Amino acid sequence: MSKLYQVSNNDFQRFLNNVVTPLFPDGLTVFDTNGQYLDSTGTIFGEKSKSISLFFNYTQQNKNVFLLPSSIKI
């Protein structure tokens, strides 16, 4: 994977601290994962990635954060 698309651990942690955690103060869990994609030539590329599992109460404020249509029930 090109360094152009890599995010440093410090930048990711800063993003979690300054953006994600204030929006979801009830908690979250970060998983180190391995992703892959198929490019236009048919080559499969693997890449390190992160997944975030969010914990939150289903309130109007959180609904607005997600911008869920009212037809979607959680």
Side-chain angles (χ1 to χ4, degrees), residues 7 10-22 52:
V7 175
N10 286 339
D11 286 343
F12 184 76
Q13 189 62 54
R14 193 169 20 261
F15 168 71
L16 285 177
N17 293 348
N18 297 330
V19 177
V20 181
T21 301
I52 302 173

Side-chain angles (χ1 to χ4, degrees), residues 4-38:
L4 178 66
Y5 299 105
Q6 291 182 354
V7 175
S8 73
N9 287 333
N10 286 339
D11 286 343
F12 184 76
Q13 189 62 54
R14 193 169 20 261
F15 168 71
L16 285 177
N17 293 348
N18 297 330
V19 177
V20 181
T21 301
L23 288 172
F24 301 98
D26 292 331
L28 59 93
T29 301
V30 177
F31 301 93
D32 290 319
T33 60
N34 295 304
Q36 66 182 40
Y37 63 95
L38 186 66

